[in-house]
Amino acid sequence: MNKEVMILTGAGQIGMAIARRMGYGMKIVVGDRSEENANAICTTMNNAGFDAVPFHMDLSSRESILSLIAEAQKYGEISMLVNAAGVSPSQASIETILRVDLYGTAVLLEEVGKVIKSGGTGVTISSQSGHRMPALTPEQDRMLATTPPEELLSLDMLHPENINDTLHAYQMAKHCNVKRVMAEAVKWGERGARINSISPGIIVTPLAIDEFNGPRGDFYKNMFAKCPAGRPGTADEVANVAELLMRPQGAFITGADFLIDGGATASYFYGSLKPNAK
């Protein structure tokens, strides 16, 4: 018997928290570049009564994304997408960040949008970092939102010589994610489906711990210590927002981005986290 299918990309704590909240009764296809991580998440979920299967995939490859979608369709109609895949500034090069976080997300949203079931929903995990970079021009935003994915990395603003460092690459990628969600929401809407993004702040996950121990570790620790919430967040708090967006209660929400960072961005612009603030 066919089931409704959730595609989960990124076998990490945030993706699993959302899948556990939303995926009961569904077939959950867990795609990740690390077979070990995908198997571990599936084992944890299946031991808790879910129906999850791992799939080896590479978000930076359109061919791999199409293979993931084809695998998911073997089990039934795709009705949910949770994209929590990506790499962080301390984990990868400028080129890899742009290829995975920016290009790969654009392809995934485009291709799932072609087959998502009427009434289907999706969320993609962006980042507070995209909210802290200087504003781009309306034309630059339009190009990030609408340029065909295969042409995205050829845009002048994304040429390596115009990217300062891996943090800048990450900020550009996450800003692009938000703009792509807006543009894709129009297309998804033609199928009666919705897509939104969530921009978490410091959430305690293995990826975040890499950042705490990386070259910007003190910056991140200072950020959550001085943000209004006074602490980092948890994956389940991100899942709280995803649940609203993906359930009928969020039926009027699409093409939106939800910043969930304990007030760190507010403090960055207007509080003690503001650069050069005393």
Side-chain angles (χ1 to χ4, degrees):
M1 181 178 70
N2 285 354
K3 289 187 174 183
E4 294 204 357
V5 181
M6 171 191 286
I7 290 178
L8 166 60
T9 56
Q13 296 301 308
I14 291 177
M16 182 170 68
I18 298 172
R20 288 174 67 98
R21 194 72 59 87
M22 300 299 303
Y24 43 82
M26 304 181 72
K27 191 75 174 186
I28 305 169
V29 180
V30 181
D32 198 280
R33 189 168 184 176
S34 166
E35 293 183 70
E36 180 182 1
N37 290 348
N39 286 330
I41 291 295
C42 288
T43 297
T44 297
M45 295 194 68
N46 291 335
N47 285 342
F50 292 89
D51 183 6
V53 293
F55 189 84
H56 180 249
M57 61 88 64
D58 178 0
L59 188 62
S60 70
S61 163
R62 180 182 289 272
E63 181 181 2
S64 184
I65 289 169
L66 290 173
S67 295
L68 172 69
I69 292 171
E71 177 69 16
Q73 289 177 313
K74 293 178 182 178
Y75 301 102
E77 288 190 279
I78 298 169
S79 61
M80 288 188 183
L81 168 68
V82 177
N83 175 35
V87 292
S88 76
S90 295
Q91 293 178 319
S93 65
I94 289 172
E95 292 78 7
T96 298
I97 290 169
L98 294 178
R99 185 77 188 174
V100 175
D101 291 4
L102 192 150
Y103 166 80
T105 296
V107 173
L108 182 68
L109 298 182
E110 176 185 72
E111 293 296 345
V112 173
K114 294 175 182 178
V115 299
I116 190 76
K117 179 182 178 181
S118 177
T121 60
V123 293
T124 190
I125 302 301
S126 186
S127 170
Q128 64 172 353
S129 286
H131 291 261
R132 292 203 308 271
M133 62 181 285
L136 301 179
T137 67
E139 177 60 15
Q140 287 175 316
D141 279 343
R142 185 197 64 79
M143 289 190 291
L144 289 177
T146 63
T147 298
E150 300 306 325
E151 300 172 21
L152 264 173
L153 298 183
S154 297
L155 294 176
D156 285 344
M157 72 182 106
L158 298 178
H159 284 179
E161 63 268 21
N162 294 322
I163 301 294
N164 301 329
D165 51 28
T166 58
L167 178 59
H168 185 205
Y170 187 74
Q171 290 176 329
M172 287 293 289
K174 295 306 182 179
H175 183 79
C176 181
N177 293 166
V178 171
K179 298 304 175 182
R180 298 302 291 197
V181 161
M182 293 179 72
E184 284 295 334
V186 178
K187 300 175 184 177
W188 282 47
E190 295 171 359
R191 297 182 62 88
R194 299 183 295 110
I195 178 70
N196 292 288
S197 60
I198 299 173
S199 290
I202 305 299
I203 307 296
V204 178
T205 65
L207 184 148
I209 292 170
D210 280 349
E211 290 298 320
F212 297 160
N213 295 323
R216 283 176 288 273
D218 290 341
F219 171 81
Y220 288 112
K221 292 173 185 176
N222 182 63
M223 180 181 294
F224 71 69
K226 290 186 177 180
C227 75
R231 62 172 177 85
T234 67
D236 287 282
E237 289 176 301
V238 179
N240 289 339
V241 177
E243 184 174 21
L244 167 64
L245 297 177
M246 300 181 80
R247 291 212 186 279
Q249 291 90 331
F252 200 53
I253 306 172
T254 192
D257 178 68
F258 284 72
L259 180 63
I260 170 173
D261 69 348
T265 300
S267 188
Y268 179 85
F269 284 107
Y270 307 114
S272 60
L273 290 175
K274 184 176 181 178
N276 302 319
K278 294 183 180 179

